[in-house]
Amino acid sequence: MILMWKDEQFGLTFLAVLNDGPPSILSREEISKAATFSISGTIFIMIYCLAAAMSFYGLFISISLMRHKHHSLTTAIALSNAFNAFLPCLFVHLMLALNSAVLKTPKMSPFKQLYIMARVLAIVMVLNSSSRMVEGVYLANWEVHNPKQPFLSPEHQVASHCALAELEGDQN
């Protein structure tokens, strides 16, 4: 430790900056300007919150499809759809945690592109979750107004049809 102190390497962070003198004191205006979100940052925080809410709606729609009249959807497929609907919520919460530390878009090359692509991905997730919610509301409305007529014919395979459902059906 003494050797590190003599070499101006304080701790494992190697802070040689401690010997550079006292830190510069910023005025209140400079501090408030440096510690605020930009307009686009604020808009994307709202988009992240919208994506999380839409993701939870999709999650609960998937869970409700599992326990209602749709016997063609097996439990494994319904749980898989519910988990897939939850993933955007998880991603958005990670982005909100990142935005609590990073207020401005990074300027360094790989981080700037990753940050911008994460924002584009958030917009795509909002659109995807919105379409899932609209589909769920449409199917629920169809069932209310047409209780005896199925939305899909028995020959029609659901988009989430997979070999796992066939194996599960063969065991019964």
Side-chain angles (χ1 to χ4, degrees):
M1 292 295 268
I2 293 174
L3 293 174
M4 289 179 71
W5 176 72
K6 285 183 179 180
D7 198 23
E8 297 178 1
Q9 296 173 352
F10 300 98
L12 293 175
T13 57
F14 306 113
L15 291 177
V17 200
L18 291 176
N19 286 337
D20 289 344
S24 62
I25 299 173
L26 300 174
S27 67
R28 289 185 189 265
E29 294 84 26
E30 291 173 339
I31 291 173
S32 65
K33 184 179 178 183
T36 58
F37 287 109
S38 64
I39 301 282
S40 63
T42 306
I43 290 171
F44 273 100
I45 286 177
M46 288 184 241
I47 289 174
Y48 295 148
C49 293
L50 177 65
M54 298 300 281
S55 174
F56 253 86
Y57 278 125
L59 169 74
F60 289 122
I61 287 172
S62 296
I63 289 173
S64 70
L65 288 176
M66 179 174 55
R67 61 180 201 116
H68 272 291
K69 301 174 186 177
H70 299 284
H71 299 293
S72 63
L73 290 178
T74 62
T75 305
I77 292 173
L79 287 176
S80 173
N81 288 341
F83 180 74
N84 288 339
F86 176 70
L87 286 178
C89 183
L90 182 66
F91 172 77
V92 162
H93 278 82
L94 292 174
M95 284 304 296
L96 285 172
L98 178 67
N99 277 325
S100 69
V102 179
L103 300 178
K104 307 281 183 193
T105 303
K107 300 207 183 307
M108 291 179 60
S109 177
F111 303 113
K112 182 178 182 177
Q113 284 82 11
L114 285 172
Y115 198 78
I116 290 171
M117 286 309 296
R119 286 181 168 184
V120 170
L121 185 62
I123 292 171
V124 170
M125 286 187 311
V126 165
L127 296 174
N128 183 35
S129 296
S130 299
S131 69
R132 280 180 166 218
M133 192 178 81
V134 167
E135 178 186 11
V137 170
Y138 182 76
L139 287 176
N141 191 28
W142 176 270
E143 288 179 354
V144 167
H145 294 294
N146 305 311
K148 296 186 182 199
Q149 183 181 6
F151 182 72
L152 299 174
S153 65
E155 303 88 34
H156 183 77
Q157 286 187 346
V158 188
S160 59
H161 178 77
C162 68
L164 180 64
E166 291 177 6
L167 290 175
E168 199 171 283
D170 290 341
Q171 293 175 356
N172 291 334

